[in-house]
Amino acid sequence: MRNSVLQRIGITSIACLLSIVFSGCTLGNQRSDVVGYGLDGPVIDYNTSTVAGYTGGSLAAFPRVNTGFSYVDGMGNRLADTEFGTVQVKLGKPTRVDMSINEHAQFSDGQPITCDDILLSWLARRPQKNNLFHAMSMPGLSEISTITCDPHSKHAKIVFRSEQLPRDWLALFGAGSIMPWHIVSEKTGVHDIRKLLSDKNSKELHRVADFWNHGWRLDHSPLDLDRFVSSGPYKIANVGDDGTITLERNDKWWGDPARVSKIIIYSTRANLKQQIRDGHVRVADISSEDTNPPTPEESTSAVISSENIMQLRLSTHGVFSNVQRRRAFLRCIPLEKITAYIARNNEVTTTHSEEVHSHIPAAIVPLDNEPVAQQISSWTTLDRRPSSTRPPRRQRVNVVYPAGSSHAQHIIKLVSEDCKSSGFSVVGVPTEVYTGEILSSSHAQAALFGTAGAVGPGGSFDSASGLVGLSPYRLPDFTSGDARGLFATVRRLNNLQGETMPIQQDGSDRYVEFAHSVAHFQQYVYDMGYAIPLYVQLRWQFVRNDLQGVTQGRSAASVGWNMDRWGI
């Protein structure tokens, strides 16, 4: 694991710690038994697998609230979570994975976690035509042939379509993906989850989909906290009118209890930067900007390179419903000027930072395999030859970007200047709170996102995770039109076992094959006018010197991936 954020204890902090028992000493404006955690995603959905949840920072907020068979650590590695359950791979024709949930596993309301909850996850997230669920799917879910389990059992047999496991198999039912079926059943009156798996358009399926899409939203009031049950060391105790989210220990958790009694999450909905200035935040992970507050007293900070690749994503509605027009717009993006600006800015940042290793991305997804990355860097260049298509009459393009981001503002200014001659009037729209849902509206034609549509922390060493959500809104209907080709490319990438099987039986190098596929995939995404990669995001992170157990967070899981191990 790479070096963690430095954690130095000052004399004042030590003295305070020694007197907590006797005097209820406070550090700054925050009680000693409470940790304020700041992140720059909006966190508007408890369901991490919806478009709003996945792209809005919920994975960084709730990694130890909604657990699963695996999790992403701060460095972006995908790891098995044996506290939740175990998995056993049985190779064959076809290959099978047996999943067993811990016999003691239960939700915070005392109801057992069962394979019915796994079935709900598959029902909602599997790619299918005209899907009623607004889910951020994963390509490996389409490789599942059947999931069999007895009602209320803790064991599930997952059978894949072929003898080869998809690259993302361990992530398919990871942290945040398993929501409580018993809550859905109670709120919708639908009791047979197995019937829904073969049901295409019943009233029951519509009710379940509507609840799954909207039933765990955090930006609706009043909230019924009884439905926000937890499967991890923490549970939601309160959601404030100001957008703050309070987590407390889950007394039904079957593993080691969380060390800190309460964590208060300050997102962009909760006026994050002001909360930092006021001393309410002990640990934070936000985009590095020159408009950020100064590092709080008695804290250690660093600017680090993340696995989050910032990209411009286009809507496929309205002005950009035509693929030729999307292509024309992407061709006028001044990548060379953006590259120069980012490089120049990084040089300035480095003088004030302990660590910066940012670079211009060679691909639209992070690559955990160095030989693959080197291959792609050597030959991957987008074919951006001018189009013979006549430029449109002046078309207004609203580009949504995070409010307060000077980097984004400057980049959109560069785009505006260079795209005038191509017939586009580009207008930046600073927005405090938005998620991947924004491109389904008529108000935005483009937006700045990170890997897989992230707003806030994003990215992963797991390349397959970067394939999630490649369409502007969500994974499209894969059985028709342009999306069929996109899905075929994603599936091919996902099924190449580059890291573990470098040499194929015919002697060809899988590294090379995988690199070629990534290059082809990136060109395809660009040709279809879906997105274009711009730069690797730098993250500003700080931690109070009295808080132990915090490591750097370079991925979508941020620094909160092990929040139950934080200690004061």
Side-chain angles (χ1 to χ4, degrees):
M1 182 174 288
R2 301 174 189 173
N3 293 332
S4 66
V5 176
L6 298 178
Q7 299 159 359
R8 298 188 294 268
I9 307 276
I11 294 176
T12 303
S13 299
I14 293 175
C16 187
L17 286 172
L18 291 175
S19 64
I20 285 175
V21 176
F22 304 100
S23 64
C25 175
T26 62
L27 295 172
N29 295 326
Q30 194 172 75
R31 296 196 312 274
S32 59
D33 60 339
V34 176
V35 170
Y37 169 32
L39 56 93
D40 58 349
V43 192
I44 63 175
D45 201 336
Y46 186 61
N47 185 351
T48 306
S49 295
T50 63
V51 174
Y54 193 99
T55 64
S58 294
L59 181 59
F62 306 125
R64 302 303 292 157
V65 178
N66 290 326
T67 58
F69 286 98
S70 66
Y71 61 95
V72 176
D73 70 8
M75 298 298 101
N77 303 296
R78 174 68 62 175
L79 304 174
D81 188 345
T82 55
E83 281 188 308
F84 184 88
T86 58
V87 294
Q88 185 177 11
V89 177
K90 297 188 176 180
L91 298 176
K93 297 183 179 180
T95 286
R96 191 180 89 203
V97 174
D98 291 348
M99 291 188 163
S100 296
I101 301 168
N102 189 306
E103 63 177 8
H104 302 294
Q106 59 182 318
F107 289 105
S108 54
D109 61 357
Q111 291 296 314
I113 302 172
T114 72
C115 67
D116 294 359
D117 306 307
I118 296 176
L119 292 179
L120 172 63
S121 178
W122 188 41
L123 170 70
R125 298 164 56 237
R126 59 182 179 174
Q128 56 186 319
K129 186 175 182 179
N130 300 322
N131 193 358
L132 297 174
F133 296 85
H134 296 172
M136 296 293 278
S137 186
M138 301 189 74
L141 290 168
S142 67
E143 303 299 323
I144 295 176
S145 173
T146 60
I147 299 180
T148 57
C149 70
D150 296 329
H152 314 302
S153 168
K154 286 184 174 285
H155 305 282
K157 294 181 179 179
I158 300 175
V159 179
F160 290 87
R161 299 184 187 278
S162 69
E163 59 186 299
Q164 187 172 9
L165 281 173
R167 292 172 64 89
D168 60 354
W169 72 272
L170 187 58
L172 297 182
F173 299 102
S177 69
I178 300 176
M179 302 301 289
W181 165 247
H182 73 279
I183 294 293
V184 178
S185 178
E186 175 188 325
K187 299 300 181 181
T188 63
V190 179
H191 304 293
D192 190 348
I193 180 68
R194 288 155 186 80
K195 179 182 177 182
L196 294 179
L197 288 168
S198 58
D199 200 342
K200 298 298 182 183
N201 199 30
S202 70
K203 292 181 180 178
E204 289 81 6
L205 184 62
H206 276 264
R207 291 206 304 273
V208 168
D210 183 66
F211 184 88
W212 193 90
N213 294 336
H214 308 292
W216 287 291
R217 293 282 293 215
L218 295 164
D219 56 348
H220 297 168
S221 60
L223 289 179
D224 175 11
L225 289 182
D226 289 342
R227 66 178 60 177
F228 293 86
V229 297
S230 161
S231 60
Y234 283 106
K235 64 181 180 179
I236 289 185
N238 183 59
V239 179
D241 294 336
D242 59 354
T244 57
I245 302 170
T246 301
L247 307 180
E248 66 180 10
R249 290 193 189 104
N250 175 13
D251 57 359
K252 294 295 193 297
W253 171 245
W254 56 93
D256 292 335
R259 296 175 64 190
V260 173
S261 62
K262 287 187 178 182
I263 293 176
I264 300 178
I265 298 171
Y266 297 100
S267 66
T268 52
R269 286 203 307 135
N271 198 3
L272 170 60
K273 292 185 179 180
Q274 188 58 49
Q275 299 286 0
I276 294 174
R277 293 186 185 97
D278 292 343
H280 296 151
V281 180
R282 257 195 175 109
V283 57
D285 173 23
I286 67 177
S287 174
S288 176
E289 301 281 350
D290 53 19
T291 56
N292 284 345
T295 300
E297 294 181 2
E298 300 182 30
S299 299
T300 299
S301 68
V303 175
I304 67 169
S305 177
S306 71
E307 304 305 318
N308 199 27
I309 296 176
M310 298 304 294
Q311 49 207 257
L312 188 65
R313 292 184 170 222
L314 306 188
S315 169
T316 54
H317 309 291
V319 171
F320 287 141
S321 59
N322 182 289
V323 64
Q324 298 292 341
R325 191 162 292 168
R326 296 199 302 271
R327 289 174 183 167
F329 182 72
L330 291 186
R331 284 192 182 97
C332 72
I333 303 298
L335 287 181
E336 295 79 9
K337 293 181 181 179
I338 294 173
T339 298
Y341 167 73
I342 292 297
R344 189 165 60 249
N345 186 75
N346 286 357
E347 289 178 4
V348 174
T349 304
T350 303
T351 64
H352 303 287
S353 169
E354 299 174 19
E355 176 192 5
V356 174
H357 300 300
S358 188
H359 56 282
I360 304 303
I364 207 166
V365 298
L367 295 167
D368 55 335
N369 190 294
E370 189 61 28
V372 173
Q374 290 176 355
Q375 290 274 19
I376 292 173
S377 297
S378 65
W379 73 60
T380 300
T381 303
L382 290 178
D383 180 2
R384 304 180 72 229
R385 287 174 291 186
S387 172
S388 58
T389 306
R390 291 181 58 187
R393 293 186 176 183
R394 186 70 61 188
Q395 293 283 351
R396 180 184 173 108
V397 178
N398 291 330
V399 181
V400 171
Y401 69 94
S405 172
S406 56
H407 296 167
Q409 186 177 21
H410 187 80
I411 287 171
I412 291 172
K413 180 181 178 182
L414 294 175
V415 172
S416 177
E417 293 170 349
D418 277 49
C419 289
K420 283 181 181 178
S421 60
S422 298
F424 298 100
S425 177
V426 177
V427 178
V429 183
T431 305
E432 195 70 41
V433 176
Y434 71 95
T435 69
E437 293 178 314
I438 194 88
L439 290 184
S440 65
S441 72
S442 59
H443 306 297
Q445 289 74 51
L448 279 179
F449 292 105
T451 300
V455 179
S460 168
F461 275 3
D462 175 10
S463 300
S465 296
L467 304 178
V468 180
L470 290 165
S471 74
Y473 177 35
R474 56 179 169 137
L475 287 176
D477 294 337
F478 291 129
T479 55
S480 62
D482 298 336
R484 182 182 298 174
L486 173 62
F487 186 48
T489 308
V490 169
R491 287 183 66 179
R492 174 172 171 74
L493 266 177
N494 196 46
N495 289 330
L496 282 173
Q497 298 290 328
E499 301 90 0
T500 56
M501 299 172 61
I503 305 299
Q504 300 184 84
Q505 291 181 354
D506 60 5
S508 61
D509 190 338
R510 277 186 181 268
Y511 288 152
V512 174
E513 184 178 359
F514 183 63
H516 271 299
S517 297
V518 171
H520 170 72
F521 167 75
Q522 175 170 313
Q523 187 65 51
Y524 185 91
V525 171
Y526 176 79
D527 287 344
M528 297 312 300
Y530 290 140
I532 186 169
L534 299 177
Y535 61 96
V536 172
Q537 187 182 54
L538 300 184
R539 306 291 294 174
W540 177 58
Q541 299 175 354
F542 72 81
V543 58
R544 285 287 295 263
N545 297 334
D546 64 313
L547 184 60
Q548 301 176 352
V550 180
T551 66
Q552 286 180 356
R554 302 172 185 263
S555 70
S558 186
V559 297
W561 68 277
N562 69 336
M563 60 172 62
D564 57 317
R565 298 298 92 199
W566 294 349
I568 300 171

Short mmCIF file of all heavy atoms in Angstrom, two decimals, residues 310-313 399-402 407-409 411-412 434 446-450 454-455 534-535:
data_model
loop_
_atom_site.label_atom_id
_atom_site.label_comp_id
_atom_site.label_asym_id
_atom_site.label_seq_id
_atom_site.Cartn_x
_atom_site.Cartn_y
_atom_site.Cartn_z
N MET A 310 -11.03 12.87 -15.34
CA MET A 310 -12.06 13.84 -15.69
C MET A 310 -12.31 13.82 -17.19
O MET A 310 -11.38 13.72 -17.99
CB MET A 310 -11.64 15.24 -15.24
CG MET A 310 -11.45 15.37 -13.74
SD MET A 310 -12.92 14.88 -12.79
CE MET A 310 -14.07 16.17 -13.29
N GLN A 311 -13.57 13.90 -17.55
CA GLN A 311 -13.95 13.81 -18.96
C GLN A 311 -15.18 14.66 -19.23
O GLN A 311 -15.96 14.95 -18.32
CB GLN A 311 -14.20 12.35 -19.34
CG GLN A 311 -15.12 11.62 -18.39
CD GLN A 311 -14.87 10.13 -18.34
OE1 GLN A 311 -15.63 9.38 -18.93
NE2 GLN A 311 -13.82 9.69 -17.66
N LEU A 312 -15.30 15.06 -20.47
CA LEU A 312 -16.48 15.80 -20.90
C LEU A 312 -17.44 14.80 -21.51
O LEU A 312 -17.11 14.09 -22.47
CB LEU A 312 -16.10 16.86 -21.93
CG LEU A 312 -17.22 17.84 -22.33
CD1 LEU A 312 -17.62 18.70 -21.13
CD2 LEU A 312 -16.77 18.73 -23.48
N ARG A 313 -18.64 14.71 -20.95
CA ARG A 313 -19.65 13.77 -21.44
C ARG A 313 -20.81 14.54 -22.04
O ARG A 313 -21.23 15.58 -21.52
CB ARG A 313 -20.16 12.88 -20.29
CG ARG A 313 -19.09 11.94 -19.78
CD ARG A 313 -19.65 11.00 -18.72
NE ARG A 313 -18.68 9.97 -18.43
CZ ARG A 313 -18.96 8.69 -18.25
NH1 ARG A 313 -20.21 8.29 -18.35
NH2 ARG A 313 -18.02 7.81 -17.99
N VAL A 399 -22.77 23.59 -20.57
CA VAL A 399 -21.86 22.61 -19.97
C VAL A 399 -21.90 22.79 -18.45
O VAL A 399 -21.47 23.81 -17.92
CB VAL A 399 -20.42 22.78 -20.49
CG1 VAL A 399 -19.51 21.72 -19.86
CG2 VAL A 399 -20.38 22.68 -22.01
N VAL A 400 -22.42 21.79 -17.77
CA VAL A 400 -22.51 21.83 -16.32
C VAL A 400 -21.15 21.45 -15.72
O VAL A 400 -20.49 20.52 -16.19
CB VAL A 400 -23.60 20.86 -15.82
CG1 VAL A 400 -23.57 20.73 -14.30
CG2 VAL A 400 -24.97 21.33 -16.28
N TYR A 401 -20.74 22.18 -14.70
CA TYR A 401 -19.49 21.86 -14.02
C TYR A 401 -19.62 22.23 -12.54
O TYR A 401 -20.51 23.00 -12.16
CB TYR A 401 -18.31 22.60 -14.66
CG TYR A 401 -18.30 24.11 -14.45
CD1 TYR A 401 -17.61 24.69 -13.40
CD2 TYR A 401 -18.99 24.96 -15.34
CE1 TYR A 401 -17.58 26.06 -13.21
CE2 TYR A 401 -18.98 26.33 -15.16
CZ TYR A 401 -18.27 26.87 -14.09
OH TYR A 401 -18.25 28.25 -13.91
N PRO A 402 -18.75 21.68 -11.68
CA PRO A 402 -18.87 21.94 -10.25
C PRO A 402 -18.66 23.42 -9.92
O PRO A 402 -17.64 24.01 -10.30
CB PRO A 402 -17.75 21.09 -9.63
CG PRO A 402 -17.46 20.04 -10.66
CD PRO A 402 -17.69 20.69 -11.98
N HIS A 407 -10.52 25.27 -12.16
CA HIS A 407 -10.00 24.45 -13.25
C HIS A 407 -11.07 24.23 -14.31
O HIS A 407 -10.83 24.43 -15.51
CB HIS A 407 -9.54 23.09 -12.72
CG HIS A 407 -8.39 23.17 -11.77
ND1 HIS A 407 -7.99 22.12 -10.99
CD2 HIS A 407 -7.57 24.19 -11.46
CE1 HIS A 407 -6.96 22.49 -10.23
NE2 HIS A 407 -6.69 23.75 -10.51
N ALA A 408 -12.24 23.80 -13.87
CA ALA A 408 -13.33 23.53 -14.81
C ALA A 408 -13.74 24.80 -15.54
O ALA A 408 -13.99 24.79 -16.75
CB ALA A 408 -14.52 22.93 -14.06
N GLN A 409 -13.80 25.89 -14.82
CA GLN A 409 -14.19 27.16 -15.43
C GLN A 409 -13.23 27.56 -16.54
O GLN A 409 -13.65 27.98 -17.62
CB GLN A 409 -14.24 28.24 -14.35
CG GLN A 409 -14.79 29.58 -14.83
CD GLN A 409 -14.89 30.59 -13.70
OE1 GLN A 409 -14.22 30.45 -12.68
NE2 GLN A 409 -15.72 31.59 -13.86
N ILE A 411 -11.21 25.53 -18.26
CA ILE A 411 -11.29 24.56 -19.35
C ILE A 411 -12.50 24.85 -20.23
O ILE A 411 -12.42 24.80 -21.46
CB ILE A 411 -11.34 23.13 -18.79
CG1 ILE A 411 -9.96 22.75 -18.26
CG2 ILE A 411 -11.81 22.13 -19.84
CD1 ILE A 411 -9.92 21.46 -17.49
N ILE A 412 -13.63 25.18 -19.63
CA ILE A 412 -14.83 25.48 -20.42
C ILE A 412 -14.63 26.77 -21.21
O ILE A 412 -15.11 26.90 -22.34
CB ILE A 412 -16.06 25.55 -19.50
CG1 ILE A 412 -16.37 24.14 -18.97
CG2 ILE A 412 -17.27 26.11 -20.24
CD1 ILE A 412 -17.42 24.10 -17.92
N TYR A 434 -25.05 18.17 -8.47
CA TYR A 434 -25.56 17.44 -9.63
C TYR A 434 -24.95 16.05 -9.66
O TYR A 434 -23.92 15.78 -9.02
CB TYR A 434 -25.29 18.18 -10.94
CG TYR A 434 -23.85 18.24 -11.41
CD1 TYR A 434 -23.34 17.31 -12.31
CD2 TYR A 434 -23.00 19.25 -10.97
CE1 TYR A 434 -22.03 17.38 -12.76
CE2 TYR A 434 -21.69 19.33 -11.41
CZ TYR A 434 -21.21 18.39 -12.31
OH TYR A 434 -19.91 18.46 -12.75
N ALA A 446 -24.05 19.00 -21.93
CA ALA A 446 -22.77 18.37 -21.60
C ALA A 446 -22.46 18.64 -20.14
O ALA A 446 -23.03 19.54 -19.52
CB ALA A 446 -21.66 18.90 -22.50
N ALA A 447 -21.55 17.86 -19.60
CA ALA A 447 -21.15 18.05 -18.20
C ALA A 447 -19.79 17.44 -17.96
O ALA A 447 -19.37 16.51 -18.67
CB ALA A 447 -22.18 17.43 -17.24
N LEU A 448 -19.09 17.98 -16.97
CA LEU A 448 -17.81 17.42 -16.55
C LEU A 448 -18.05 16.34 -15.50
O LEU A 448 -18.72 16.58 -14.50
CB LEU A 448 -16.91 18.51 -15.97
CG LEU A 448 -16.15 19.40 -16.97
CD1 LEU A 448 -15.33 20.43 -16.21
CD2 LEU A 448 -15.26 18.58 -17.88
N PHE A 449 -17.51 15.17 -15.76
CA PHE A 449 -17.62 14.05 -14.83
C PHE A 449 -16.26 13.40 -14.68
O PHE A 449 -15.37 13.57 -15.52
CB PHE A 449 -18.61 12.99 -15.33
CG PHE A 449 -20.04 13.42 -15.35
CD1 PHE A 449 -20.68 13.72 -16.54
CD2 PHE A 449 -20.77 13.50 -14.17
CE1 PHE A 449 -22.00 14.11 -16.57
CE2 PHE A 449 -22.10 13.88 -14.18
CZ PHE A 449 -22.72 14.19 -15.39
N GLY A 450 -16.14 12.58 -13.65
CA GLY A 450 -14.97 11.74 -13.50
C GLY A 450 -15.25 10.36 -14.08
O GLY A 450 -16.21 10.15 -14.83
N ALA A 454 -18.52 10.00 -12.26
CA ALA A 454 -18.41 10.43 -10.87
C ALA A 454 -18.43 11.95 -10.74
O ALA A 454 -17.83 12.67 -11.53
CB ALA A 454 -17.13 9.89 -10.25
N VAL A 455 -19.16 12.42 -9.71
CA VAL A 455 -19.09 13.81 -9.26
C VAL A 455 -18.54 13.74 -7.85
O VAL A 455 -19.24 13.35 -6.92
CB VAL A 455 -20.46 14.49 -9.29
CG1 VAL A 455 -20.35 15.93 -8.78
CG2 VAL A 455 -21.06 14.47 -10.69
N LEU A 534 -10.06 14.16 -20.46
CA LEU A 534 -9.38 15.45 -20.41
C LEU A 534 -8.14 15.43 -19.53
O LEU A 534 -7.05 15.76 -19.98
CB LEU A 534 -10.35 16.53 -19.91
CG LEU A 534 -11.61 16.77 -20.75
CD1 LEU A 534 -12.50 17.81 -20.09
CD2 LEU A 534 -11.25 17.18 -22.17
N TYR A 535 -8.29 15.03 -18.27
CA TYR A 535 -7.14 15.07 -17.37
C TYR A 535 -7.40 14.20 -16.15
O TYR A 535 -8.55 13.85 -15.85
CB TYR A 535 -6.82 16.50 -16.94
CG TYR A 535 -7.92 17.20 -16.17
CD1 TYR A 535 -7.94 17.23 -14.77
CD2 TYR A 535 -8.96 17.85 -16.84
CE1 TYR A 535 -8.94 17.87 -14.07
CE2 TYR A 535 -9.97 18.50 -16.14
CZ TYR A 535 -9.96 18.51 -14.76
OH TYR A 535 -10.97 19.14 -14.07
#
